[in-house]
Amino acid sequence: EVQLLESGGDLVQPGGSLRLSCAASGFPFNNYAMTWVRQAPGKGLEWVSTIIASGGSTYYADSVEGRFSISRDNSGNTLYLQLNSLRAEDTAIYYCAKTRLAAVHTYFDYWGQGTLVTVSS
Amino acid sequence: QSVLTQPPSVSGAPGQRVTISCTGSRSNIGAGYDVHWYQHLPGTAPKLLISGNTNRPSGVPDRFSGSKSDTSASLSITGLQAEDEAHYYCQSFDSSLSHWVFGTGTKLTVL
C-alpha cells in the first residue's frame, strides 16, 4: 500500500524558512518522480514543484521559483521541500504526491494528507 | 486565477447524474494535453479519479467517467451517492505557463 506522510509544517514569520518532509513507503521510491502541491485557505489546488526520480531535474511554479527548493533522499525514501523567504501568501496545506511523469501528460496518482504551513507575524 | 475553469458548485439528488466541466484553451486542453481528475474531501488526501482523459484507476467505481472534446473536458458521475460529496479538480499542462495546472475546483453537493 502506497503511503505518503508529510511533516514539518509550522507557524513561521514572514521572511522565515521551513523544511517540509514527505516519508514514502509501499512503492519503489527511487523509480518515481515526486511533486509538491499546495492549497491555500479557501482556495483550490496549486502545483508547486516536481523532481524526477533521480533528482537530476527539478521544476517550479513561478510563484515559488528562487525561494523554494525541492530535493529527495532515495536511500531514505524521503522527499523534501525547503521554503525560504516565506510570504503570507505561502500559507497553505502542502501535499506531496507520487507522480506519473509523462512530460505534458504528467499526473499525480497518490497523495499524502498534507502539512500546514502558516506564515504570519 | 487558473487557466482551467470549472463551475464553483454543482448538486444532485442521490441516484442522479451530474457532470462537471473543465474549460481550457488552445494552450492546454485544446493542445491535446491529457486531462486528469481528482476528488478531494477537505482534511484528507486528494484521490486520483480519472487519468489520461478517460482512464479509471483500479478501485474507482465505474460510476465515474471522463471525456474530452476540443478545449474542454468533463467528469460525469452517475448514481450519485452521499459519499460523493466532495471537491473535484481537473488538471492538465499549459504550454503558455510551461507547467502543470489545476482547475478552479467544483464543490459537489448531494442533496
Side-chain angles (χ1 to χ4, degrees):
Chain A
E1 178 191 6
V2 172
Q3 291 195 340
L4 299 167
L5 183 61
E6 302 94 337
S7 61
D10 204 348
L11 170 63
V12 60
Q13 292 189 341
S17 297
L18 209 56
R19 189 175 83 156
L20 307 183
S21 300
C22 171
S25 62
F27 66 100
F29 182 73
N30 59 352
N31 285 357
Y32 288 92
M34 295 293 294
T35 293
W36 288 97
V37 174
R38 69 183 181 184
Q39 183 177 34
K43 304 293 185 182
L45 300 175
E46 179 190 13
W47 173 78
V48 174
S49 182
T50 294
I51 186 169
I52 67 172
S54 68
S57 292
T58 57
Y59 309 90
Y60 297 94
D62 293 344
S63 57
V64 307
E65 178 87 56
R67 301 188 298 122
F68 290 9
S69 178
I70 191 171
S71 62
R72 62 191 296 159
D73 173 6
N74 283 347
S75 63
N77 290 352
T78 303
L79 173 72
Y80 300 101
L81 185 67
Q82 178 69 39
L83 292 67
N84 296 330
S85 302
L86 281 162
R87 307 166 180 166
E89 55 264 35
D90 295 320
T91 294
I93 298 173
Y94 286 73
Y95 298 95
C96 68
K98 176 177 170 284
T99 301
R100 302 303 295 270
L101 193 65
V104 297
H105 305 300
T106 290
Y107 62 96
F108 316 111
D109 58 353
Y110 290 93
W111 300 60
Q113 295 206 336
T115 187
L116 176 62
V117 173
T118 303
V119 183
S120 175
S121 55
Chain B
Q1 192 73 353
S2 176
V3 295
L4 301 179
T5 302
Q6 301 177 230
S9 63
V10 298
S11 63
Q16 286 189 331
R17 177 189 186 210
V18 296
T19 298
I20 298 172
S21 62
C22 175
T23 303
S25 67
R26 294 289 173 198
S27 67
N28 41 69
I29 298 174
Y33 305 146
D34 283 352
V35 178
H36 321 286
W37 291 90
Y38 305 87
Q39 178 190 60
H40 188 209
L41 284 80
T44 69
K47 175 185 177 182
L48 176 68
L49 279 182
I50 299 288
S51 66
N53 307 313
T54 60
N55 303 309
R56 272 189 318 276
S58 173
V60 174
D62 60 6
R63 301 186 297 104
F64 295 89
S65 64
S67 64
K68 176 186 160 185
S69 177
D70 196 22
T71 58
S72 67
S74 294
L75 173 71
S76 292
I77 310 171
T78 59
L80 263 184
Q81 299 180 4
E83 67 205 48
D84 298 332
E85 189 162 288
H87 290 85
Y88 293 83
Y89 294 89
C90 59
Q91 176 250 313
S92 187
F93 181 86
D94 188 273
S95 58
S96 296
L97 299 173
S98 295
H99 63 65
W100 299 286
V101 291
F102 287 92
T104 50
T106 298
K107 178 175 170 55
L108 167 63
T109 300
V110 180
L111 302 171

